[in-house]
Amino acid sequence: MTVPYVLFVVTNAAVIGPHDRPTGYFVPEIAHPLDVLDRAGIAVEFASPFGGTPHEDGLDLDDPIQRAFLDGKAHRRLARSRPLADVDVLDYDAVFFPGGLGPMVDITGNPEVQAVVGRAWNAGMIVSAVCHGPSAFLGVTLDDGAPLVRGRRLTSFSWAEEDGYADQDVPFDLEEALRREGALYEATTPWQPNLVVDGRLITGQNPQSGTLVGHAIADALADARGDGR
């Protein structure tokens, strides 16, 4: 049986906001879902808007999964991420956008990212994101001109979590932006795991939700192959 592939699209941003806060992708939001997918026999490849080595944020060396990720082959592959323009998302079975504050800089409103999301969705693929990663969905419209997220259940990093954490750094309220495009937004208590699955749209609220997202992607891919889990 063919091994399924997931494309992780990672931010290249290094700073955000008026105070040049250091940022990048949040390490657990790659390490945790990657660990689940790897154990399920699912392959992962990495792309970013400009290619190359993305900047890291949120590393916790007390977390054995993050330590294993830093020492593993996937981290070496991530250091050579492919430019998004050189990638055809239809070569994959699912696309995933990890968070960190960085996506608010170079993923949000990026025409190449929007094209990737729209192309994946129209092809019947699994589309997923965690934390600030759902900013990739903003501005994505379907063939009838409706926003992708309109009428769909999802979650993202909530404003209750942003307040006091990065409210002085982010350019907009992601929760409110998703609501404005018609998303049926759901959130739980700040910093608690939360997964929302609406058909092929899989989202997690915060860094604590990465493992849940990984399992949901693996389950969805298994269902698509008809082998169950």
Side-chain angles (χ1 to χ4, degrees):
M1 183 175 291
T2 303
V3 174
Y5 273 79
V6 180
L7 178 67
F8 281 37
V9 181
V10 183
T11 177
N12 287 119
V15 296
I16 187 171
H19 309 294
D20 289 334
R21 174 174 175 160
T23 190
Y25 73 88
F26 219 64
V27 175
E29 294 173 20
I30 288 182
H32 287 187
L34 179 72
D35 178 67
V36 174
L37 297 176
D38 185 59
R39 293 175 187 274
I42 297 167
V44 169
E45 292 186 355
F46 300 98
S48 57
F50 303 111
T53 305
H55 297 268
E56 296 176 349
D57 193 13
L59 174 63
D60 179 4
L61 290 175
D62 290 330
D63 177 0
I65 293 176
Q66 293 183 54
R67 290 202 314 272
F69 167 63
L70 291 183
D71 292 336
K73 293 180 179 179
H75 188 255
R76 286 160 47 194
R77 294 199 309 274
L78 176 57
R80 298 184 296 276
S81 69
R82 298 174 62 190
L84 194 56
D86 294 346
V87 172
D88 186 345
V89 72
L90 299 189
D91 292 340
Y92 303 87
D93 301 286
V95 61
F96 170 64
F97 295 87
L101 297 176
M104 302 284 275
V105 177
D106 64 350
I107 296 294
T108 306
N110 183 319
E112 287 183 346
V113 170
Q114 293 170 337
V116 163
V117 174
R119 188 166 164 81
W121 187 262
N122 290 334
M125 291 172 55
I126 296 158
V127 175
S128 183
V130 69
C131 200
H132 292 88
S135 66
F137 306 153
L138 294 171
V140 178
T141 56
L142 304 179
D143 291 340
D144 62 0
L148 168 67
V149 300
R150 180 181 293 172
R152 290 191 167 87
R153 296 173 52 242
L154 56 69
T155 190
S156 74
F157 203 64
S158 67
W159 188 250
E161 290 166 313
E162 203 80 85
D163 187 21
Y165 171 69
D167 55 302
Q168 301 301 309
D169 303 294
V170 293
F172 61 92
D173 177 345
L174 177 55
E175 174 184 339
E176 177 59 27
L178 290 165
R179 291 184 187 276
R180 282 200 305 269
E181 292 199 4
L184 305 179
Y185 182 89
E186 302 176 17
T188 190
T189 304
W191 306 105
Q192 296 302 306
N194 184 35
L195 171 74
V196 176
V197 178
D198 189 345
R200 294 183 287 113
L201 188 65
I202 298 172
T203 50
Q205 180 172 330
N206 46 35
Q208 291 74 19
S209 308
T211 297
L212 296 177
V213 171
H215 282 296
I217 295 172
D219 289 344
L221 289 171
D223 289 344
R225 298 197 307 272
D227 56 357
R229 290 191 68 82

